Amino acid sequence: MANTTSAKKATRKIARRTEVNRNRRSRMRTFLRKVEEAIASGNKAAAAEALQAAQPEIMRAAQKGVVHKNTASRKVSRLAHRIGALAS
């Protein structure tokens, strides 16, 4: 348990930041799930539209440090490739 005043404050700050990051990660995963569902349905137009909505969220998560920027780029790239492979 934190003993000093500064350590107690740091604990409070970490708790707030953890909550923010949890919300950002959850939001990103929701957008990713929507893209996955659109790909699974086979609707190329809906999947492309879902990716257009998801891409800024994924990159924002990377910018805010929730995920690494290479991880975000890899996710977007792989989803785009899968959408491109769908028969229209």
Side-chain angles (χ1 to χ4, degrees):
M1 185 61 204
N3 288 324
T4 63
T5 308
S6 61
K8 289 177 183 177
K9 180 177 178 179
T11 304
R12 291 192 305 269
K13 286 173 65 174
I14 290 167
R16 283 195 301 266
R17 182 52 46 195
T18 300
E19 187 62 33
V20 169
N21 286 341
R22 184 182 297 129
N23 289 336
R24 285 195 178 118
R25 189 176 298 113
S26 175
R27 185 172 167 84
M28 181 187 74
R29 287 177 178 163
T30 300
F31 277 89
L32 286 173
R33 191 182 70 247
K34 288 177 183 175
V35 176
E36 291 286 347
E37 289 171 355
I39 290 171
S41 72
N43 188 344
K44 188 171 185 175
E49 190 175 314
L51 181 61
Q52 283 294 101
Q55 189 170 351
E57 281 299 324
I58 297 167
M59 290 310 188
R60 189 172 299 120
Q63 186 179 8
K64 298 296 184 179
V66 177
V67 293
H68 194 275
K69 68 175 188 173
N70 291 353
T71 303
S73 294
R74 185 180 68 241
K75 285 182 183 297
V76 170
S77 177
R78 288 181 180 175
L79 287 171
H81 183 73
R82 286 173 60 194
I83 291 170
L86 283 176
S88 48

